[in-house]
Amino acid sequence: ALLAVGLGALLSPRILSVLGMTSIAQLYDQTQNSQAAEAQAIHDQAPSLGIQVLDYEAYNGGDTDFPPQLTKIKASNPDWLIIDAAAPEAATIVNQGSQLGISSKIYVSEAANLFPSVWDATQGKIKGTYTATPGVVSGVTPQDPDAVSLFKAKNNAEPNIYGTWGW
């Protein structure tokens, strides 16, 4: 999986050239503000980066039947399928996309593809997908220079970027 810092990294021209992302289809949860916002940001910014948006499909959180959207996505034949979904839906989408023969590379938001439950639910089909995740911030100076040390003292672990935003 691609480890980068947030959505901005996914849309950076350097990352896009490495990934060979020239066309995308998107499937996003329209009931989750963060996922809908990320999907909208990608949708809006992609053309300015030379990426064709071939399909833009929504679903509601908790849905379990994705073949209607995935059939349209398959017909559009994108290089990449961008899935803005929480872990349960991401696993179901990957499984149903595999059953339909979708061969696009897959980017999964929210680092949902890193959850062991998604690996188990997809029986490993999630392997080879990509995500953007904040990673560990050691050596990075957050706005509050004490944030990393405070987080480590309280949690006995290195923080990711989300862990320092609250400090």
Side-chain angles (χ1 to χ4, degrees):
L2 170 69
L3 298 181
V5 180
L7 174 62
L10 173 66
L11 294 177
S12 79
R14 172 117 173 93
I15 296 292
L16 294 173
S17 69
V18 169
L19 296 176
M21 188 179 288
T22 59
S23 66
I24 62 171
Q26 295 176 259
L27 182 54
Y28 69 97
D29 182 348
Q30 64 187 350
T31 64
Q32 296 295 321
N33 290 339
S34 68
Q35 293 162 10
E38 179 174 90
Q40 188 67 54
I42 292 171
H43 181 268
D44 292 350
Q45 294 176 35
S48 69
L49 296 166
I51 301 168
Q52 285 185 288
V53 180
L54 302 177
D55 199 3
Y56 190 62
E57 299 287 334
Y59 70 92
N60 294 315
D63 283 355
T64 58
D65 183 38
F66 300 100
Q69 297 99 324
L70 292 169
T71 299
K72 291 179 187 176
I73 288 168
K74 182 180 179 184
S76 72
N77 196 30
D79 296 328
W80 285 81
L81 170 56
I82 310 295
I83 302 171
D84 280 293
E89 289 91 354
T92 303
I93 291 165
V94 167
N95 283 333
Q96 292 177 8
S98 175
Q99 290 168 353
L100 290 170
I102 292 177
S103 60
S104 305
K105 293 179 186 172
I106 297 174
Y107 165 84
V108 182
S109 72
E110 313 273 331
N113 56 343
L114 302 180
F115 286 77
S117 61
V118 174
W119 178 271
D120 293 344
T122 64
Q123 298 179 336
K125 289 182 198 82
I126 200 77
K127 183 178 181 180
T129 62
Y130 294 76
T131 195
T133 184
V136 174
V137 294
S138 294
V140 175
T141 305
Q143 286 182 322
D144 179 350
D146 296 323
V148 172
S149 59
L150 289 170
F151 187 96
K152 286 163 89 173
K154 181 172 179 159
N155 300 289
N156 195 29
E158 294 284 339
N160 63 28
I161 196 85
Y162 298 125
T164 62
W165 284 348
W167 290 93

